[in-house]
Amino acid sequence: MKEKMNKSEAARRVFLRKLVRAALSGAALVGASTLLGRKTMAAAKSFPTPDYDWTKHQWGYGIDATRCIGCLRCVEACKIENGVSLDAHHFRTWVERYVYLEGEEHARVDSQSDPQNIAASGSEKVYRFDNRYEGKKVTKAFFVPKMCNHCENPSCVQVCPTGATYRTKDGVVLIDHEYCIGCQYCVQACPYGARFFNYEQRVTDKCTWCYHRITKGLKPACVEVCPVNARIFGDLNDPDSDISRFIRDNRVQVLKPSMGNHPNCYYVGIDKEVV
Amino acid sequence: MEGLFHTMSYTGYVYPNETVIPWTILIVVYPYMTGLVAGAFTVSSMYHVFGIQKYKPVARFALLTALCFMLFVPAPLLLHLGHPERAFNAMITPHLTSAFAMFGFFAAFYIILVSLESWFAFRVDNVARSKSPNRLKRFFYRALTLWSDDVSERARAFDHKWLFVLAIIGIPGAHGLHGYVGFVFGSLKAREWWGSDLMPVIFLFSAVISGVALLIVLYVVVSKVRRTPIDQDCLRGLAQTLWGFLMFGVLIEVVELANLFYKNLEGIELIRTFIEGPLFFSYIVLQFGIGAALPILILTVMMFSGTRGTPFVVGTFASATLALVSVFMMRWNVVIGGQEISKTMKGLLSYNLEIWGPEGLMAAIGVLVAPLILLWIMTRLFPPWEPTKQPVS
């Protein structure tokens, strides 16, 4: 009886040893292939522009709300340039309208995706603010363009479980669409509502400051088309750049400073009601 | 693009991107399931670690319940992901600043732990079953025992030692896993309704409530189906645990709410409007009223008057069912409620529950029913019940 037991025990040990060995080699194989896979992927996807040096720049963005006329050409340009879904629920940039009517304490707020504005334009693909305040006594009104703030301390990057979203050395928050698992934790974490889910690619999406353009020395599409220079973009490392001068010459603000995200979109001319 | 996403209706001003909900009913089911796991495991540990004998009749069943639900915890997450085939990216290159990066590891660790614990808990039984005359059965159970049929005193002592150690590790394991889920929500500063230090504690209390309640419901149902008497001491113990944790759970949630209103931060008016309006039924009526206050009342009356026998079983069963609804509504009110309050603090959204589709009601029901089916199969393969004993009363 004892001998039999020992025999079965010995066989079991051999079996267990084989099991452990198989598991270890399997794990090693998976590990090696992933490391190799990551390396080749990183090499292929380094930059949209081959000879661009991301250590030489620090990008920043300015918004002069006193200049914005709410024409929404920026929204249109962004959608076309970046292939953003042409509906009323996905925007890399949008414009808010704040209107104080006589006798009212709080501003009335809407954006181009408001159903009334869509009804006025006739299509979700055409952006327009309607004339709903015609004939009303408006005491104060202004437009506020919004977008990803490319924060120095971005909540979205903090919560991403895979590291698919990251901050580049030149200060832009990007998403690796090949690596994003589409959990949308970052969508929840962004205090500014700048992120959305790209249902075609099934990954998270947002403004990149047109990284494919700025690394070639061009301006982001929204800045390029703004007819009144309400959107300012440039290199914070260059003291003579548009953005450095904008920050130096104005008393600038950022959105929701209490969040501690340290946004890199600097605003002029916004109001206590701006969210 | 049409039909790929479902939009939310809203009042006031919300950011344009907020009109599509990021986390749907599946993310309600996910913390609900981890909570059931933690709660069921707690009951099992009361016997296996703390040696409370009255929980013995359900201790192994509780362990199987925890295992079956835990095996399905990744399901709602995988169904929700845009790229489920990339899910392992989070484990291959975990981004350590993310509150969610470690979930895969914790979940895997916990599944292994509960499996091991179950293995030890059922080993002696499996050895007995491996003597079956049926060849297939014999092979199945012999393979499960790893071809060891040692049931000597020494071997049993060894099993018990490991059962004890694994159950001890499992207590912080199960509660850590669930408290961690609370942290995933509580650490998000962008949402006023979520960003709270009390969130992990609230999640933990509700986890124990839901797990104990589930065991009460299953124990009563299974006993009726098997036509076996319900162990009154055991049921009383479970009812007392439910009673106590319900009281604590409600208290902490009230403290949390009081804190929110007392701090009176910007946007509190919107939250007030939300609770008094769209959230009133699911929050005040279902979660607090029918789901928590009513079972507390029933249990208090029964404990006070010393109710026994069938009325006690019925009262406890009803209380447990209500508590299960309450905890589900708590998850709903946190996950869905949090997303219905716009980050602008100037508008409220309203989630339209889809019926079909990967993130719809049917998928959620499927995910919740699947562990019960697995549990039924498991109890057939590994009967967890102790030999029937005569009812006390």
Side-chain angles (χ1 to χ4, degrees), chain A residues 12 89 91 96 157-161 177 179-183 187-188 190 193 201-202 256 259 261 273, chain B residues 1 7 13 15 17 19 23 80 82-83 86 89 93 95 97-98 146 148 189-191 339 343-344 346:
Chain A
R12 197 173 72 236
H89 311 281
F91 292 93
E96 293 168 355
V157 171
Q158 182 189 22
V159 302
C160 176
H177 280 178
Y179 209 65
C180 172
I181 60 175
C183 69
V187 180
Q188 302 287 8
C190 174
Q201 296 185 40
R202 305 205 54 79
K256 299 187 181 178
M259 287 287 160
N261 280 30
E273 291 276 314
Chain B
M1 280 303 285
T7 56
Y13 178 66
Y15 293 128
N17 291 333
T19 51
W23 287 352
H80 165 73
H83 281 279
R86 296 180 189 167
N89 285 6
T93 55
H95 188 232
T97 61
S98 169
L146 297 177
S148 157
K189 60 188 174 189
R191 292 205 184 275
Q339 298 174 93
K343 288 172 185 170
T344 62
K346 281 181 183 295

Side-chain angles (χ1 to χ4, degrees), chain A residues 1 4-5 8-9 12 15-16 30 34 38 85 87-92 94-96 98 106-107 109-115 124 146 153 155 157-163 165 176-203 256 259-261 272-275, chain B residues 1-2 4-8 10 12-24 27 77 79-102 119 142-143 145-150 152 154 183-185 187-192 194 266 335 338-339 342-346 358-359:
Chain A
M1 180 67 193
K4 194 183 159 201
M5 217 160 76
S8 80
E9 218 161 78
R12 197 173 72 236
F15 169 71
L16 284 176
V30 170
T34 8
R38 283 299 285 164
S85 164
D87 58 54
H89 311 281
H90 302 87
F91 292 93
R92 288 189 178 199
W94 66 96
V95 179
E96 293 168 355
Y98 290 77
H106 296 290
V109 195
D110 65 326
S111 75
Q112 78 287 338
S113 71
D114 183 276
E124 286 188 7
K146 292 276 189 77
N153 185 16
S155 318
V157 171
Q158 182 189 22
V159 302
C160 176
T162 62
T165 190
D176 183 344
H177 280 178
E178 314 255 306
Y179 209 65
C180 172
I181 60 175
C183 69
Q184 302 194 59
Y185 197 5
C186 57
V187 180
Q188 302 287 8
C190 174
Y192 305 102
R195 288 182 167 241
F196 58 87
F197 192 64
N198 180 330
Y199 277 81
E200 284 149 332
Q201 296 185 40
R202 305 205 54 79
V203 288
K256 299 187 181 178
M259 287 287 160
N261 280 30
K272 68 177 174 63
E273 291 276 314
V274 174
V275 285
Chain B
M1 280 303 285
E2 285 304 313
L4 278 180
F5 58 88
H6 291 259
T7 56
M8 298 204 276
Y10 62 90
Y13 178 66
V14 306
Y15 293 128
N17 291 333
E18 282 187 299
T19 51
V20 182
I21 194 163
W23 287 352
T24 58
I27 309 299
L77 294 177
L79 276 171
H80 165 73
L81 288 187
H83 281 279
E85 79 283 4
R86 296 180 189 167
F88 279 107
N89 285 6
M91 289 178 87
I92 296 163
T93 55
H95 188 232
L96 297 178
T97 61
S98 169
F100 214 75
M102 282 295 126
W119 189 79
R142 272 183 71 79
T145 57
L146 297 177
W147 288 273
S148 157
D149 55 1
D150 187 356
S152 63
R154 212 181 109 241
F183 182 79
V184 165
F185 292 98
S187 60
L188 274 187
K189 60 188 174 189
R191 292 205 184 275
E192 185 74 19
W194 288 353
E266 198 183 337
V335 178
Q339 298 174 93
S342 169
K343 288 172 185 170
T344 62
M345 283 311 212
K346 281 181 183 295
E359 300 218 28

Side-chain angles (χ1 to χ4, degrees), chain B residues 89-136:
Chain B
N89 285 6
M91 289 178 87
I92 296 163
T93 55
H95 188 232
L96 297 178
T97 61
S98 169
F100 214 75
M102 282 295 126
F103 177 76
F105 293 101
F106 286 169
F109 170 79
Y110 187 68
I111 288 176
I112 293 168
L113 185 126
V114 183
S115 306
L116 268 180
E117 194 182 329
S118 308
W119 189 79
F120 281 111
F122 288 91
R123 201 186 68 83
V124 173
D125 289 12
N126 287 343
V127 169
R129 272 180 223 116
S130 70
K131 314 284 186 215
S132 160
N134 182 319
R135 263 187 72 192
L136 194 69

Side-chain angles (χ1 to χ4, degrees), chain B residues 221-238:
Chain B
V221 170
V222 169
S223 300
K224 290 290 156 205
V225 171
R226 293 178 68 232
R227 295 170 197 276
T228 48
I230 293 167
D231 186 311
Q232 294 286 319
D233 271 354
C234 178
L235 191 68
R236 184 162 293 271
L238 289 172

Side-chain angles (χ1 to χ4, degrees), chain B residues 268-284:
Chain B
I268 194 69
E269 278 314 312
L270 186 76
I271 290 180
R272 192 190 302 275
T273 314
F274 186 49
I275 294 174
E276 286 171 357
L279 206 63
F280 189 81
F281 184 71
S282 62
Y283 190 58
I284 305 292

